[in-house]
Amino acid sequence: MQNSRLPSGGRIDRKRPLNFRFNGHRLQGYAGDTLASALIANDVAVVGRGFKYHRPRGIIGSGAEEPNAIIQLGRGATAEPALRATQVELYEGLEASSVKGWPGVKFDLGAINDWAGAALAAGFYYKTFMRPAKLWKFYEHFIRRSAGLGTAPSLPDPDTYSHRNAHCDVMVVGAGPAGLAAAVTAARDGARVIIADEQSEFGGSLLASRESIDGLAAPDWVALQCRTLTNSKNVTLLPGSSVFGYYDYNFLGILQQCAIEPGAQNPGRIRQRLWRVRAKQVVLAQGAFERPLVFCNNDRPGIMLASAVSTYVNRYAVRPGRRAVVFTNNDSAYQASLDLHRAGVNVRCVVDSRPGGAGQIAESLREAAIPVHCGSIITNAYGRKRISAVEVARLDLSQRETLECDLLAMSGGWSPAVHLHSQAGGSIHWDDDRHCFVPAPSVQPNRSVGACNGTWTLATCLLEGHEAGLAAARNSGQRLPRDQFERTVSAAPKPANDAANEHATTPLWRVPGARDPERLPKQFVDYQNDTTVSDIRLAAREGYTSIEHLKRYTALGFGTDQGKLGNINGMAILAECLGKPVSAIGTTTFRPPYTPVSFGACAGESIGSLYDPVRKTAIHRWHEDQKAHFEPVGQWLRPSHYPVNGEDLQSAVQRECIATRNSVGIMDASTLGKIDVRGPDACKFLEWIYTHNVSKLPVGRCAYGIMLGEDGMIKDDGVMSRLGEQHFYVTTTTGGAAGVLAWMEKWLQTEWPQLRVHLTSMTEHYSTIAVAGPNSGRVIEKLGCDVDMSREAFPFMTFRSGNLAGVPVTLSRVSFSGELAFEINIDSRHALDTWLKLMEAGREFGITPYGTETMHVLRAEKGYVIVGQDTDGSVTPVDLRMNWLLSKDKDFLGKRSLARSDCKRSDRKQFVGLKAIDGKTVVAEGAQLVTGQPGRIPARIPIPIAGHVSSSYYSAVLQKPIALGLIRAGHTRVGETVLAIGSNGVEVPVEIVSPVFYDPKGERQNVQ
Amino acid sequence: MSRYSVFSLLRNAISHNRNWPQAWRSPAPKPAYDAIIVGGGGHGLATAYYLAKEHGLRNIAVLEKGWIGGGNTGRNTTIVRSNYLWTEAAQLYEKSLKLWEGLSAELNFNVMFSQRGVYNLGHTLQDMRDIERRVSANRLNGIDAEVVSPAEIARRIPYLNMSRTSRYPILGASFQGRGGVARHDAVAWGFARAADSCGVDIIQQCEVVGIRKRGDEVCGVETTRGFIASKKVGVVVAGHASVLAGMAGIRLPIESHPLQAFVSEPLKPVLDTVVMSNAVHGYISQSDKGELVIGAGIDAYNGYGQRGSFHTIEHAMAAIIELFPIFSRARMLRQWGGIVDVSPDACPIISKTPVRGLYFNCGWGTGGFKATPGSGWVFAHTIANDAPHELNAAFDLARFSSGALIDEHGAAAVAH
Amino acid sequence: MLIIDCPYCGERDETEFSYGGEAGIARPQHPESLTDAEWADYLFMRSNPRGPHRELWNHAQGCRRWFVAVRDTVTYRFSETAALQAGASGDAE
């Protein structure tokens, strides 16, 4: 069972054993364990395999920096790849497996690469597999198969994610000593505080500390601070929440782990919540990462960071080994030797590279009778699946000695976690005394405190946190009333032990060897990507000397730990190669996220049906009841056709077309954009927007209008109705509605602010019902209408206001089908009711609802364009033969562009009708038009393209196919036969004809 | 240049890799060159390479203010395709694609061009019209392209959400099998190494701060390492085109915007092609390392900050989950931003300028990576001959006056 | 994510706004008298500076008013937002 569980201590609940499986083995841990600590308790040494050389790997760290213990958690839809065992909290039934190794982690055939090492050095893949080019995909297949840290689930995610926005005065990142001190102080000063820590328990390093603060044992002090914060109404505590991104304007992203069981399904519960926080002030107290030491075979299982060893012993009460050696270049690792000693582990010695050894803490080791070898190093480690011994030597490599051990705790000094400071735009600089990057002054309102500021002693961390909390609260301005705290802010917390007498870290970036590093066993710098010292030296030799080149060439820092462990060592080793100080190497950018964030959490609620809002007309429900087929148009859902008796699209459309042409059809046109334009200068304004003479439009009349971009290309079209001298009502296309209104507003406000005009969107307020066909007027009259519907009293392109079935409406006599037709504009509240009444009244005429498809056919029969289908941003009104709409009397937007040389070319693509020569082929919409005879087009690629088919249908009323398109100089080529060639490559001869196929004289709109 | 091969790998392995030569030199700038290329990204290095190789110029410098390949070359989603709508664009990108197909061998550097195909999804009837139009045009332009049915898409791309009831159901796609992805850094390094071996001086940490003219003729550039003379200066600096143009008193129809992208943690192979969607704005592929590589939308505002806003990332994530619901539990490992130089017609400018001897290559917007070799090839021709090649003749600055724009906005699917 | 100080409503999140590009591009008084190149200069050419940029923003999901701002295109910091003056294209001159 848990052979390496210590008999007592730790922050685990021994009354709650938890069963779990790792690589198929049944194991047990306790509540409070991480998967990593539970694996150590069960003496599992090999947890994974290296990326390139497939060497056995063990747990090295205890948190976000872990590069080796990458596991796949759970199964099925809730599986999670690439998690760090050090961050996975144990739960009952947890199932995890290693992500590397075939057939398994214990025996991995890929380990053969370890022997081929030198041929697989950095960048080897750039130097081979170059020819033949086709074979690359073959090699690549195997490379791809060997890559990857886990498998994506093969089922959709059943879990729920949520977003929450929050504002605060002071955001504290990290709840270790400095962060807690900052949060408590800021809260006492009345600031609204949010404090987040990636661990589920606040306290950070204090949870594994044996210090005491303000007379309390460190964990008790933490508990007291947490109680204080929990009891404050102005504080939000976010445990288990990783602040992953620090963006502009003090915007921070926090990923909160809501469900305890990350691999389990949590129906009805939020699995993760993404907090989007705007903070007035930010205190960064994220701590620091311990650096590994770089020596031969430093990747063997059983070699761990010293701080991780302390954490496992003190916090989780597990023993990562039985016979330990400690290797360090600074004082902090001495604590690990003491912790191990207290836990009953045989600490054989501390190997300290510094000739002078440690400061005050060395005393404690003497008391514990732990030998210290100063000025010594570890040059090699032995044992493959677990270390069995290490080689110790003097710095000059003399006095070599092999020491048996199964645990090596190492510390190469500390790197402050400057990630968020850097993400926030702050620069960092190399500190030659502390041998690490420390934050330079920030550019956003934030302060770094504690270890992430390069501050190592507990007393100073607490003091910095306290002062920063106070300053942040004071600088955040507005404050909540201080109702629950004393007005005086207490002094900074103080630890019992102020380790002022600490000896400085002495850099040891790479343990020297008797031979070139290239000829020694591998010395790993980046564990996850298997980047070694010789890789870095090779990159430098080949000229990849910029740190960014080095990283990209060797993959240093590109693992899922993003270089938290290896980057600094790697930079220093590069500096050594180049004979430069580390400060001259520069640093790479710290990019978000600090730790990985699930896609689901980033997307939040905006998935599935909430991916994009659905806009529905007031009549939508009726369409649904009729089992209409819908198509998305912009954000709207519009009926495309109404199949009956299992009709397919084409039969439905033909039926709808015939019914409309022969009697009456009805369409929900509510999605058209509608803009109310009014004010003394409304006419003047619209003169700029539209190309025709707006002032000549009498009140009561409608006009078709187009608008151009300033580039002269068709932007949108619609019908303009003049409701009064200073009052217009214009419609736009469905898709263009929002854009057109915004565009009009921009011109109005920025270019012509002196014009007194108000623009109001009426799209949602009014519904539009189009009733088209020879019987349309009769249907409307049947409802009881006080408008004289006679042709004389209500001529084409006019509108009338009146009452229809007792409801006020505006009727427009406009037609997009060429038939007698009316558009009923009606308050959306009455739309459905009126629609139903029209359906009832129309029954005797066989009134037929039609959708967008039929509307497209009807208008194509008349040669009317649809902006966005027959135009594409490169089409002018002249190309469409709409010259009649272009006023010569005024300037309008886009007019000047029409006079540019390219717009005046006579061989521009121009709008034409197209008729299949065989009289039966419906050419594909989008087919290209090529000049030439069938089978005779030039074989030389590229084949010149003359134009394309923009619309193409079978016309039921004409009993033949019709098409519209744009073709070079089309207006002069009527009668010519060209080829339409679709994606299937079939050549269809088509004749260029007038685009008006039906009722060319336009008589039907006056049928009554 | 010492050739790379499996034999050189083995030979060097025996000597513990201690004898590899520098991939390219780091020379000090000479006082004068026959041609100067400003910008050491993929396009600039390719230009220098082809100038040396195809046009026989030997005395060439590439000036890079930071490290080569450090701009958009190293910040994109590595998609390569040529299925553009208009003949002018299609021919230019197709030239590039053809060069890609032989690039590893040409440069003796494996740029890992992997022709795993590119799908552009259609979600509306108008999308499908546009796809039909683009595919049929592509075929006339000699570009491999096909329209793919939903059933076929479902077969070829497992895990893609083919539900008819999703917000924007997938109605079909266009497919270009010769499209794919490449290793972005390797392109810069491969061109650098090959150009260097032709005698090109690649000078890093050398920022151009001024363009010196004599009359209406260029005579050199002021740099942070002093004045360097040349009668031919080609500027290809992506996001910073306007800044460099300003030094020569030229205005460009360019606006620089942030464009963001991100990758997931590495996963076992799950997506073996490139999927792009216009309506559900996202594009995604999986790298050889296993990372899902995802492009987000462009941020609306002008920006030189190499970073954008987080909500843009959120939108891209939602789009990806909409397309691939199984990726909801994948995790974003790294996000970054580049600066894209957007032109009014979503097409590049590869052109002479009013200043004699000064040439600009810019305006690639979100789609420059795929054009790297072709862009260098035509730009080299333009510089060497003081006249454009027929492939880039339409991409001149004059089109903004004449109105002969090549509008690749609407119909060319996502312009990436 | 930017915070933008709407001159009418105060500070709001970027997502409430839409961007309108460079400010101060007045529409020429007599386009017909311009050469194609001069017209193109108005239509397409932009200063696109690296640094302070006078630009237009619209509080699209708020008051719907356009206003002018000065923002640094590198730091993304706004140094000023102001209501449009009566005059062309948000140019206060």
Side-chain angles (χ1 to χ4, degrees):
Chain A
M1 292 307 288
Q2 304 185 33
N3 286 329
S4 287
R5 182 71 70 182
L6 296 171
S8 63
R11 304 182 65 75
I12 46 163
D13 185 352
R14 290 168 199 265
K15 292 197 203 79
R16 286 178 55 207
L18 300 171
N19 299 296
F20 69 101
R21 274 170 176 266
F22 181 71
N23 286 338
H25 300 286
R26 291 168 186 279
L27 302 169
Q28 200 176 65
Y30 290 122
D33 264 328
T34 61
L35 175 56
S37 65
L39 289 172
I40 291 172
N42 287 279
D43 284 333
V44 177
V46 180
V47 294
R49 286 275 173 166
F51 173 68
K52 195 164 23 171
Y53 305 115
H54 296 252
R55 290 158 64 109
R57 289 285 165 77
I59 294 162
I60 182 168
S62 58
E65 75 287 1
E66 175 62 38
N68 288 342
I70 308 297
I71 55 105
Q72 174 98 8
L73 187 67
R75 280 196 295 193
T78 57
E80 268 192 278
L83 291 179
R84 287 178 268 270
T86 51
Q87 292 186 300
V88 173
E89 290 174 38
L90 199 65
Y91 57 88
E92 178 64 31
L94 177 150
E95 282 186 52
S97 54
S98 303
V99 294
K100 281 276 175 187
W102 186 85
V105 277
K106 287 196 179 157
F107 175 71
D108 179 0
L109 280 176
I112 194 164
N113 285 357
D114 203 8
W115 308 110
L120 303 181
F124 79 93
Y125 29 75
Y126 299 124
K127 297 173 179 165
T128 183
F129 308 132
M130 284 165 289
R131 354 169 144 239
K134 293 240 179 308
L135 267 185
W136 167 242
K137 272 195 86 172
F138 173 77
Y139 303 126
E140 195 185 25
H141 174 74
F142 295 98
I143 293 172
R144 287 172 81 88
R145 270 186 42 177
S146 73
L149 299 174
T151 310
S154 52
L155 296 166
D157 191 343
D159 282 335
T160 307
Y161 302 83
S162 169
H163 280 186
R164 183 176 292 179
N165 294 318
H167 293 261
C168 65
D169 297 321
V170 180
M171 171 80 223
V172 180
V173 183
L180 284 173
V184 168
T185 308
R188 285 214 169 114
D189 203 49
R192 291 173 307 160
V193 175
I194 297 177
I195 176 168
D197 192 283
E198 64 184 356
Q199 300 211 28
S200 60
E201 196 174 359
F202 277 6
S205 62
L206 294 178
L207 296 176
S209 167
R210 292 177 176 274
E211 301 258 12
S212 65
I213 304 170
D214 290 347
L216 295 171
D220 296 336
W221 182 83
V222 170
L224 177 65
Q225 308 311 308
C226 290
R227 271 201 304 281
T228 307
L229 294 171
T230 309
N231 291 334
S232 315
K233 281 186 197 140
N234 52 336
V235 178
T236 305
L237 288 81
L238 296 178
S241 302
S242 173
V243 181
F244 64 84
Y246 194 143
Y247 301 90
D248 286 309
Y249 290 82
N250 260 12
F251 179 87
L252 293 97
I254 306 176
L255 181 70
Q256 182 186 20
Q257 203 70 44
C258 300
I260 299 163
E261 304 174 2
Q265 194 173 329
N266 307 280
R269 285 176 59 194
I270 306 257
R271 175 174 173 245
Q272 292 172 341
R273 179 176 289 120
L274 193 129
W275 289 70
R276 306 157 94 246
V277 174
R278 290 276 191 195
K280 287 183 181 155
Q281 297 280 323
V282 175
V283 178
L284 298 173
Q286 306 161 90
F289 295 109
E290 196 166 27
R291 293 194 284 254
L293 284 160
V294 180
F295 55 94
C296 296
N297 293 316
N298 62 339
D299 65 323
R300 295 304 191 195
I303 299 177
M304 296 176 87
L305 294 173
S307 58
V309 167
S310 288
T311 299
Y312 286 119
V313 169
N314 294 341
R315 181 165 171 193
Y316 299 106
V318 293
R319 183 173 48 197
R322 283 171 170 69
R323 284 209 294 182
V325 173
V326 177
F327 181 21
T328 187
N329 66 349
N330 67 85
D331 282 14
S332 69
Y334 281 65
Q335 186 61 46
S337 69
L338 292 171
D339 293 335
L340 285 166
H341 177 74
R342 272 191 214 104
V345 174
N346 172 10
V347 182
R348 301 207 57 186
C349 64
V350 171
V351 178
D352 190 331
S353 67
R354 298 170 298 178
Q360 205 171 7
I361 196 166
E363 287 294 325
S364 316
L365 268 75
R366 222 161 286 146
E367 287 161 23
I370 300 171
V372 177
H373 302 311
C374 296
S376 296
I377 49 178
I378 289 187
T379 53
N380 202 349
Y382 304 102
R384 193 166 161 81
K385 293 184 180 168
R386 168 126 215 177
I387 58 164
S388 54
V390 294
E391 183 184 70
V392 184
R394 303 290 300 168
L395 262 173
D396 60 7
L397 303 174
S398 64
Q399 299 178 33
R400 292 197 207 184
E401 180 191 356
T402 302
L403 279 180
E404 288 186 7
C405 63
D406 64 354
L407 173 67
L408 178 71
M410 63 177 166
S411 177
W414 293 79
S415 300
V418 293
H419 302 62
L420 292 179
H421 166 85
S422 172
Q423 284 181 27
S427 54
I428 55 178
H429 73 263
W430 183 259
D431 184 301
D432 278 322
D433 296 328
R434 286 176 282 180
H435 308 288
C436 60
F437 281 107
V438 293
S442 351
V443 297
Q444 296 202 50
N446 65 54
R447 302 167 166 74
S448 292
V449 296
C452 74
N453 194 33
T455 302
W456 309 135
T457 66
L458 181 57
T460 319
C461 286
L462 290 166
L463 181 66
E464 277 185 14
H466 173 76
E467 288 175 347
L470 189 61
R474 296 271 152 97
N475 287 343
S476 67
Q478 194 187 339
R479 208 73 42 72
L480 292 178
R482 304 180 207 168
D483 53 352
Q484 36 202 322
F485 290 107
E486 64 271 39
R487 282 182 171 273
T488 49
V489 173
S490 56
K494 284 196 185 59
N497 259 332
D498 187 355
N501 184 13
E502 184 177 292
H503 285 189
T505 304
T506 302
L508 181 66
W509 303 118
R510 174 174 75 80
V511 169
R515 292 183 289 183
D516 282 352
E518 286 74 16
R519 300 179 62 191
L520 292 169
K522 295 187 180 70
Q523 307 136 73
F524 288 89
V525 180
D526 184 307
Y527 291 93
Q528 198 176 88
N529 283 330
D530 275 356
T531 308
T532 64
V533 172
S534 54
D535 286 329
I536 292 172
R537 290 165 57 98
L538 171 61
R541 195 173 301 131
E542 295 190 89
Y544 298 90
T545 50
S546 147
I547 181 64
E548 285 289 349
H549 285 158
L550 176 84
K551 280 183 62 178
R552 288 153 181 264
Y553 194 63
T554 65
L556 170 74
F558 272 95
T560 59
D561 58 322
Q562 293 281 284
K564 292 186 177 78
L565 286 191
N567 269 3
I568 304 298
N569 285 336
M571 291 174 59
I573 291 165
L574 174 66
E576 182 202 10
C577 292
L578 302 177
K580 289 180 179 174
V582 183
S583 54
I585 296 297
T587 179
T588 58
T589 340
F590 290 90
R591 293 172 175 141
Y594 172 67
T595 47
V597 189
S598 69
F599 289 15
C602 288
E605 297 90 344
S606 306
I607 56 165
S609 57
L610 299 180
Y611 172 67
D612 201 27
V614 181
R615 297 178 77 181
K616 298 172 178 174
T617 72
I619 307 163
H620 187 87
R621 219 177 53 216
W622 186 88
H623 306 315
E624 276 183 339
D625 291 345
Q626 302 300 307
K627 306 266 187 305
H629 279 219
F630 291 91
E631 72 159 323
V633 183
Q635 288 176 323
W636 293 96
L637 281 184
R638 297 192 71 178
S640 61
H641 59 291
Y642 298 80
V644 295
N645 303 325
E647 279 174 322
D648 61 8
L649 170 80
Q650 197 177 352
S651 340
V653 169
Q654 290 185 19
R655 176 183 48 75
E656 292 171 12
C657 285
I658 293 289
T660 305
R661 292 261 181 244
N662 290 346
S663 179
V664 61
I666 180 167
M667 186 182 73
D668 181 359
S670 306
T671 61
L672 287 179
K674 310 175 196 73
I675 304 169
D676 183 279
V677 184
R678 68 173 87 190
D681 298 314
C683 180
K684 209 169 171 185
F685 174 69
L686 292 174
E687 290 280 25
W688 280 114
I689 300 294
Y690 287 88
T691 62
H692 64 279
N693 281 319
V694 178
S695 57
K696 288 185 183 159
L697 182 71
V699 174
R701 288 199 67 91
C702 309
Y704 174 71
I706 55 169
M707 55 186 77
L708 312 182
E710 272 284 61
D711 61 357
M713 304 302 148
I714 301 259
K715 183 179 176 68
D716 206 273
D717 69 348
V719 172
M720 169 187 292
S721 306
R722 189 160 196 172
L723 307 182
E725 275 304 318
Q726 302 181 356
H727 191 185
F728 294 81
Y729 183 77
V730 300
T731 64
T732 72
T733 60
T734 296
V740 167
L741 178 64
W743 181 74
M744 285 185 178
E745 277 285 4
K746 188 179 179 192
W747 282 108
L748 182 58
Q749 292 185 33
T750 65
E751 191 65 37
W752 305 298
Q754 72 280 10
L755 297 183
R756 290 157 298 167
V757 182
H758 287 281
L759 304 171
T760 310
S761 168
M762 308 298 277
T763 305
E764 306 271 353
H765 300 74
Y766 285 108
S767 293
T768 305
I769 301 169
V771 187
N775 286 317
S776 53
R778 293 187 188 95
V779 173
I780 291 169
E781 277 176 331
K782 258 188 79 182
L783 250 63
C785 182
D786 57 7
V787 175
D788 181 349
M789 301 291 287
S790 68
R791 188 171 61 183
E792 300 71 28
F794 191 174
F796 184 53
M797 294 310 272
T798 62
F799 66 89
R800 297 288 179 267
S801 295
N803 286 290
L804 182 66
V807 179
V809 295
T810 303
L811 291 174
S812 307
R813 210 186 128 191
V814 295
S815 177
F816 198 43
S817 59
E819 300 296 329
L820 174 73
F822 299 88
E823 278 184 8
I824 304 167
N825 273 281
I826 185 166
D827 190 312
S828 286
R829 289 171 297 177
H830 301 298
L832 180 58
D833 186 50
T834 303
W835 177 279
L836 292 172
K837 285 180 175 149
L838 287 163
M839 288 304 297
E840 178 61 31
R843 191 183 297 171
E844 63 172 290
F845 306 102
I847 192 166
T848 302
Y850 66 90
T852 50
E853 285 297 304
T854 293
M855 183 256 287
H856 285 188
V857 178
L858 295 174
R859 62 88 206 181
E861 287 167 345
K862 289 292 296 173
Y864 298 149
V865 299
I866 289 186
V867 172
Q869 177 173 341
D870 300 296
T871 70
D872 64 5
S874 67
V875 178
T876 70
V878 181
D879 301 337
L880 297 180
R881 244 187 196 162
M882 287 184 174
N883 310 46
W884 58 278
L885 273 171
L886 306 177
S887 169
K888 293 197 170 59
D889 309 335
K890 63 163 186 177
D891 191 10
F892 53 82
L893 294 177
K895 186 177 191 181
R896 172 64 184 82
S897 287
L898 297 176
R900 295 176 303 178
S901 60
D902 194 71
C903 293
K904 292 198 293 197
R905 277 190 301 115
S906 56
D907 65 340
R908 285 181 65 83
K909 288 178 186 164
Q910 294 167 336
F911 186 63
V912 294
L914 299 162
K915 193 173 80 180
I917 296 291
D918 68 3
K920 56 184 188 214
T921 306
V922 179
V923 297
E925 286 179 337
Q928 300 297 309
L929 297 171
V930 174
T931 306
Q933 300 299 314
R936 303 257 314 271
I937 56 168
R940 186 180 160 270
I941 298 291
I943 296 163
I945 294 171
H948 75 280
V949 177
S950 56
S951 299
S952 176
Y953 312 96
Y954 181 79
S955 165
V957 69
L958 298 169
Q959 302 258 305
K960 63 174 186 185
I962 58 166
L964 303 170
L966 290 143
I967 187 164
R968 288 200 180 281
H971 295 161
T972 61
R973 294 171 71 177
V974 173
E976 186 181 332
T977 297
V978 295
L979 298 174
I981 307 176
S983 63
N984 58 7
V986 176
E987 298 169 5
V988 181
V990 292
E991 184 189 337
I992 298 173
V993 296
S994 155
V996 187
F997 293 91
Y998 184 67
D999 183 27
K1001 291 191 181 144
E1003 289 161 343
R1004 293 190 62 84
Q1005 62 210 13
N1006 287 322
V1007 167
Q1008 211 155 6
Chain B
M1 183 167 83
S2 91
R3 287 195 69 76
Y4 291 158
S5 69
V6 67
F7 305 108
S8 73
L9 276 174
L10 293 173
R11 197 170 57 244
N12 279 287
I14 293 163
S15 56
H16 302 282
N17 291 317
R18 283 177 301 183
N19 298 320
W20 285 107
Q22 278 201 330
W24 57 84
R25 299 162 296 129
S26 293
K30 291 188 247 176
Y33 287 93
D34 294 343
I36 287 175
I37 305 302
V38 183
H43 289 235
L45 294 162
T47 305
Y49 170 71
Y50 290 116
L51 264 177
K53 178 160 174 289
E54 306 269 329
H55 303 283
L57 273 73
R58 279 293 175 272
N59 193 24
I60 305 167
V62 175
L63 308 183
E64 166 55 47
K65 75 169 173 179
W67 38 281
I68 59 168
N72 290 351
T73 302
R75 293 166 179 275
N76 62 81
T77 51
T78 79
I79 298 169
V80 176
R81 61 184 179 93
S82 67
N83 56 348
Y84 279 68
L85 172 66
W86 299 101
T87 299
E88 296 88 341
Q91 291 302 319
L92 178 63
Y93 286 101
E94 178 61 17
K95 168 72 187 174
S96 193
L97 180 51
K98 289 217 171 78
L99 290 170
W100 273 111
E101 287 174 323
L103 200 58
S104 291
E106 162 94 20
L107 301 179
N108 183 234
F109 201 97
N110 187 358
V111 299
M112 302 184 194
F113 178 45
S114 173
Q115 294 180 289
R116 42 193 62 254
V118 176
Y119 291 85
N120 294 93
L121 303 178
H123 300 266
T124 63
L125 296 173
Q126 186 58 41
D127 280 356
M128 292 314 297
R129 272 180 215 113
D130 291 338
I131 281 173
E132 172 70 22
R133 180 180 173 193
R134 185 158 43 79
V135 167
S136 51
N138 287 163
R139 293 172 65 111
L140 294 175
N141 277 313
I143 291 165
D144 66 309
E146 61 173 309
V147 178
V148 189
S149 69
E152 187 62 15
I153 296 171
R155 196 182 67 74
R156 293 197 212 164
I157 314 176
Y159 308 123
L160 185 61
N161 177 12
M162 297 303 297
S163 161
R164 301 289 304 179
T165 58
S166 63
R167 180 67 182 86
Y168 292 104
I170 294 166
L171 305 184
S174 72
F175 176 64
Q176 184 179 21
R178 286 163 63 238
V181 291
R183 172 87 181 99
H184 52 11
D185 295 324
V187 178
W189 301 338
F191 272 118
R193 176 165 163 272
D196 177 87
S197 77
C198 297
V200 173
D201 282 358
I202 295 163
I203 301 161
Q204 303 185 72
Q205 308 294 331
C206 180
E207 182 174 359
V208 171
V209 293
I211 293 175
R212 200 187 281 180
K213 293 188 283 187
R214 194 177 297 117
D216 62 351
E217 203 173 334
V218 73
C219 60
V221 292
E222 314 280 356
T223 78
T224 47
R225 293 168 75 171
F227 175 73
I228 308 175
S230 182
K231 284 191 170 353
K232 284 178 184 287
V233 175
V235 181
V236 50
V237 294
H240 287 83
S242 299
V243 178
L244 270 290
M247 292 175 192
I250 299 169
R251 270 159 72 81
L252 291 176
I254 294 288
E255 294 193 79
S256 300
H257 289 268
L259 179 70
Q260 303 182 78
F262 56 92
V263 295
S264 75
E265 293 173 306
L267 301 172
K268 285 287 167 199
V270 62
L271 177 64
D272 67 355
T273 188
V274 182
V275 177
M276 313 175 72
S277 167
N278 203 6
V280 178
H281 190 110
Y283 44 107
I284 181 168
S285 65
Q286 187 174 23
S287 73
D288 285 349
K289 257 192 91 178
E291 298 166 334
L292 300 172
V293 183
I294 294 163
I298 197 166
D299 279 275
Y301 44 79
N302 293 39
Y304 286 84
Q306 292 194 330
R307 64 191 192 282
S309 295
F310 186 64
H311 63 90
T312 309
I313 296 287
E314 292 175 336
H315 290 165
M317 292 281 192
I320 292 305
I321 295 175
E322 194 62 11
L323 297 177
F324 290 97
I326 66 158
F327 292 154
S328 170
R329 293 173 96 89
R331 302 195 297 170
M332 170 170 77
L333 177 61
R334 192 166 64 242
Q335 67 168 97
W336 66 90
I339 313 166
V340 296
D341 46 342
V342 177
S343 72
D345 56 357
C347 276
I349 297 160
I350 314 165
S351 181
K352 297 170 69 172
T353 67
V355 179
R356 196 133 51 91
L358 181 65
Y359 310 88
F360 263 80
N361 182 344
C362 58
W364 292 94
T366 59
F369 177 73
K370 67 175 77 72
T372 304
S375 161
W377 196 88
V378 296
F379 198 38
H381 181 102
T382 307
I383 295 170
N385 298 292
D386 193 37
H389 187 271
E390 65 173 8
L391 284 174
N392 66 310
F395 296 90
D396 63 349
L397 267 171
R399 74 180 189 269
F400 299 99
S401 297
S402 70
L405 271 59
I406 308 149
D407 188 3
E408 281 287 348
H409 275 126
V414 192
H416 295 291
Chain C
M1 199 160 358
L2 314 179
I3 289 178
I4 302 173
D5 189 6
C6 170
Y8 305 96
C9 308
E11 291 188 343
R12 295 289 190 278
D13 198 284
E14 173 194 342
T15 50
E16 291 186 16
F17 296 83
S18 63
Y19 179 66
E22 184 174 342
I25 300 174
R27 193 170 193 278
Q29 290 295 308
H30 302 288
E32 66 284 359
S33 66
L34 301 182
T35 64
D36 281 0
E38 287 165 342
W39 178 247
D41 195 64
Y42 152 73
L43 204 52
F44 295 125
M45 304 301 161
R46 296 294 177 262
S47 58
N48 192 28
R50 191 178 192 279
H53 185 225
R54 269 177 71 76
E55 58 195 25
L56 294 168
W57 285 89
N58 178 229
H59 194 185
Q61 306 200 24
C63 63
R64 281 177 56 201
R65 302 281 287 267
W66 283 92
F67 57 92
V68 65
V70 179
R71 183 182 57 96
D72 188 301
T73 57
V74 179
T75 65
Y76 300 172
R77 293 275 133 191
F78 286 90
S79 52
E80 181 192 341
T81 57
L84 285 165
Q85 304 297 307
S89 296
D91 202 331
E93 290 160 44

